[in-house]
Each structure stands twice: as structure tokens, then as C-alpha cells.
Amino acid sequence: MKNINSAILLIAILVFSVAPAVAQETEQKVVDEVVAQVNDGVITLSRVNREMKEAVDSFVQESKKPREQVQAEIEAKKGEMIANIINEELLIQKGKEMGVETDVEAQINQRFLDIMKQQNLKSLDALYQEMEKGGADAAAIREMWRKQMTRDLVLQREVDSKIYFGWTPKEVKSYFEANKAKFTKPETISISEIFLGFAGRDTDAVKEKAKQLVAQARAGADFGKLAVENSDRQDAKETKGKVGTFNIKELDERFAKPLQNVKVNGVSEPIEIVEGIEILRIDARQTAGNESFFDENEVRKALTVEKIPDARKKYMTTLRSDAYIKINETYRPMVAPNLFTEEKKVETKKSK
């Protein structure tokens, strides 16, 4: 769902108190400690701490758990996080080797433009100003997206697409014949939305407005008209809030659960996401069918989904084996068991 399934993570600006000069020197030595060398790159403790802080912020916001509890949970997985950062560094280096930077930057710029349009802002500078007011650092978000998109592009091109296009017509047809139950008509719902953005606004006021709009819609007000008059989606006047039709099983859990018991023409409670509030209306429901139908694309996708986890693990194992990785002895005991899991499985099989 283009507008619904893409929530944008905003990272709070970190504010550090001023410490005495001696303390600063000590802290600088700790922060700059090299945790691991990966080929020509290094992973420092400052990077690990920064990414752990971002993970804590994200999980606190998503889970609503106390910060102290989330911090303890993340700290317990520090070795796993460092291993993940090493794997990410390998993928970023591979991305540079493949020359994906141009595509990545284009996607990042387009994402910012999409948010700008959704928030009815006139320029990217205006968007950055609104983000700053909300405590978000556009440069930090850009860097986070750059890492994510580089990683995703490398895996898609080096692993996923090769699997998807590698199936022969005979294999595709054979899989369909053996798994017809997987390819029946799915249950779908058609949805309309009203989106209220938080950018540049008082959050409590936005939440209150959302409650009022839900009450109006449930009282019989025209949902399309409410969307045109209130939604922050740039295309609301043309779409009247209509988003499209979606497979229930593929719907983001954040929206699937609130919509589970909503009947046709019914309206959900306000759904809070990172960038604002969603109010959803069920325009139609289509029940699932029992009759199987052949769709080559869907069959290839099903075949590929089954193979991707193991194929990606194998690819990462190859990247690691071809790389120079040296882990600081202080961190090796917690990192190595998480980083070289697949290699140990191979060694175990060979020894039997």
C-alpha cells in the first residue's frame, strides 16, 4: 500500500551535556575504539553505540515498553548487533563495488519528495525545517536510508532476482500443480483513508481532530468529502481518499489488526504511525475463493520466497569468506558466535 504501508522513521536529535575536558578526552578514546576491521573499513564503538541508541528509540516507540527495559534487551544482544553491522558493512562495500550509489541516491531523493508532497509542502527545504521542528535530523535519516537501500539493492540483484528468473517454465508449472491450494483467489479489501500528518503541528491537536473525524464518519458524513477537506495526502482531491484493493494476508499488521472486525462501510479507530494518524474505511470486502488459477508471476514469487532465506545466508557466508575481518579481542567472544553461525554449520557437517 503506497501511502499506508510506508511509515517513515524519524530519529530524535541526540543532545549531549557538556563534560569536563579530562572526561571528554577519556570518552573520546572509548568512543573511537575499533571494534572490527572489515576489509579497508573499520567499525568503531561510536558507530555501535549510535546504532544501538537508534534501535532503542525505534523499539520504545513501536513497543511502548519502558526505555530501561528496551535498553537492557538491546544491550543483551550487543554481540548480535555488532555481527549485523559487520554484515551490513560487507553489503555496503559490495554496493560500492557494484556501483549502486546512483540508484540509491535517486530513491532517497524520491522518498523525500514523496513525503514533501504528502505533507503539502512547497520545497524540500520546507520539509527539512518541519522535520527539524519535530526533532528529526534529515541528514541522519538520509544516511540510514542509504545503508538500508544499499543493502536491499545488493541482495535483490545478487540473490533474489537470480532466483526469481532462474526457474524454468517446467519447474514453475510443476510447482503450481503440486501446490494448487496456494494459488486460490485471496480475500481482499478495498480501503479509503484520511491521513493527518504530525509535521509542524501539535500532536495532541492532531489526535483530537482524528477522533472528531471518526465520529463524523460514523455518524453518516460522506467519507470521500471528509478526505478531500481534511486529508494531508496531496492527491486527496482526485482520489477522494481511495487507496486501492489489497490482499488481507499481505496487509501491514499495523492496519490489518484494527481493520479485522470493521464491516463494509465501517471506519477504523485512529491508527497512529510515526508520521501521523490514519483513519481507514472499508469500501468493500471480497471473500476468498476455492478455485485455483495459474499466474506465472505469483508462482515464481512463491518459489523464490521459499529459497531466499537460505540463499541469502549462503551469499553472506561467501562475502565473509572472501573478506578480511578482524574483530577486536575484547568483543570477539560475543560477536564471533553470531557472525559465523553458518560457517560453523558447514564445519559441523564436514566433521561428521
Side-chain angles (χ1 to χ4, degrees):
M1 190 183 304
K2 180 176 67 176
N3 291 332
I4 291 182
N5 282 348
S6 55
I8 306 304
L9 178 63
L10 300 182
I11 304 172
I13 297 176
L14 306 181
V15 181
F16 296 93
S17 57
V18 177
V22 174
Q24 284 183 353
E25 287 182 8
T26 302
E27 179 67 18
Q28 186 66 29
K29 290 179 182 177
V30 175
V31 167
D32 289 340
E33 182 180 3
V34 174
V35 174
Q37 181 177 348
V38 183
N39 293 320
D40 293 333
V42 294
I43 294 170
T44 62
L45 185 58
S46 61
R47 175 176 173 181
V48 173
N49 289 339
R50 182 173 62 253
E51 297 204 15
M52 289 181 68
K53 171 65 168 58
E54 291 170 1
V56 169
D57 291 343
S58 177
F59 283 122
V60 166
Q61 189 170 34
E62 292 176 6
S63 67
K64 307 300 181 184
K65 292 181 180 179
R67 175 169 289 274
E68 293 75 14
Q69 180 182 342
V70 175
Q71 285 177 328
E73 291 174 356
I74 296 296
E75 184 64 32
K77 296 182 178 180
K78 188 171 184 177
E80 182 180 343
M81 286 201 68
I82 295 173
N84 289 338
I85 294 171
I86 291 173
N87 283 329
E88 180 182 69
E89 180 65 23
L90 286 169
L91 289 169
I92 291 172
Q93 292 177 6
K94 185 65 176 179
K96 291 179 180 178
E97 178 186 318
M98 294 168 59
V100 302
E101 293 99 328
T102 301
D103 289 341
V104 167
E105 290 304 317
Q107 289 185 28
I108 294 172
N109 292 335
Q110 186 59 53
R111 185 175 288 190
F112 274 118
L113 286 170
D114 289 343
I115 299 171
M116 179 193 79
K117 292 174 182 176
Q118 289 168 8
Q119 300 297 330
N120 289 323
L121 298 170
K122 303 298 182 183
S123 67
L124 285 174
D125 285 340
L127 172 64
Y128 298 152
Q129 289 173 9
E130 292 298 331
M131 291 170 69
E132 186 176 352
K133 290 178 184 177
D137 184 343
I141 292 173
R142 178 177 286 273
E143 180 58 25
M144 178 185 67
W145 285 345
R146 183 178 290 113
K147 290 178 181 178
Q148 290 175 344
M149 291 179 183
T150 299
R151 178 192 65 209
D152 292 346
L153 269 179
V154 170
L155 290 173
Q156 287 165 11
R157 294 180 183 181
E158 290 287 281
V159 183
D160 305 359
S161 64
K162 292 179 180 179
I163 298 174
Y164 179 88
F165 291 108
W167 303 110
T168 65
K170 183 179 179 180
E171 288 173 325
V172 172
K173 194 65 177 179
S174 295
Y175 185 85
F176 170 74
E177 293 296 336
N179 299 275
K180 285 188 175 181
K182 292 184 178 182
F183 303 103
T184 56
K185 186 177 180 180
E187 180 184 1
T188 61
I189 55 173
S190 298
I191 298 173
S192 292
E193 68 157 356
I194 297 173
F195 171 71
L196 305 177
F198 286 145
R201 296 172 179 164
D202 179 77
T203 300
D204 291 334
V206 174
K207 292 179 180 179
E208 182 58 34
K209 182 178 179 180
K211 291 179 182 178
Q212 294 174 5
L213 288 173
V214 168
Q216 292 175 40
R218 289 177 174 174
D222 185 291
F223 193 87
K225 185 177 180 182
L226 290 176
V228 170
E229 294 174 349
N230 298 278
S231 183
D232 290 324
R233 300 299 187 197
Q234 191 178 39
D235 59 355
K237 290 183 179 179
E238 291 76 35
T239 65
K240 293 182 172 56
K242 292 188 179 299
V243 181
T245 300
F246 307 92
N247 186 331
I248 287 285
K249 293 182 179 180
E250 296 177 356
L251 199 62
D252 190 306
E253 181 64 23
R254 292 170 302 166
F255 309 108
K257 191 172 181 179
L259 292 173
Q260 189 172 12
N261 298 316
V262 178
K263 297 180 179 180
V264 175
N265 298 324
V267 177
S268 72
E269 292 293 330
I271 303 170
E272 183 174 345
I273 56 178
V274 175
E275 68 265 43
I277 301 286
E278 289 280 10
I279 301 169
L280 305 180
R281 178 183 186 272
I282 301 295
D283 299 326
R285 282 186 183 272
Q286 182 67 49
T287 57
N290 295 321
E291 185 178 351
S292 300
F293 65 98
F294 179 76
D295 182 323
E296 182 179 350
N297 179 56
E298 290 301 315
V299 179
R300 283 183 177 274
K301 282 168 60 178
L303 275 162
T304 302
V305 166
E306 289 184 3
K307 295 292 183 180
I308 279 178
D310 287 341
R312 286 189 171 190
K313 287 178 182 177
K314 185 177 180 180
Y315 179 74
M316 291 307 305
T317 299
T318 300
L319 277 187
R320 288 192 295 269
S321 65
D322 291 343
Y324 174 79
I325 301 174
K326 184 177 181 180
I327 304 171
N328 185 317
E329 290 303 319
T330 302
Y331 302 96
R332 174 173 284 277
M334 71 170 73
V335 177
N338 292 287
L339 184 63
F340 301 112
T341 303
E342 296 305 311
E343 288 86 335
K344 285 186 176 181
K345 288 181 181 178
V346 173
E347 289 177 3
T348 301
K349 288 181 180 179
K350 288 181 178 179
S351 64
K352 289 182 178 180

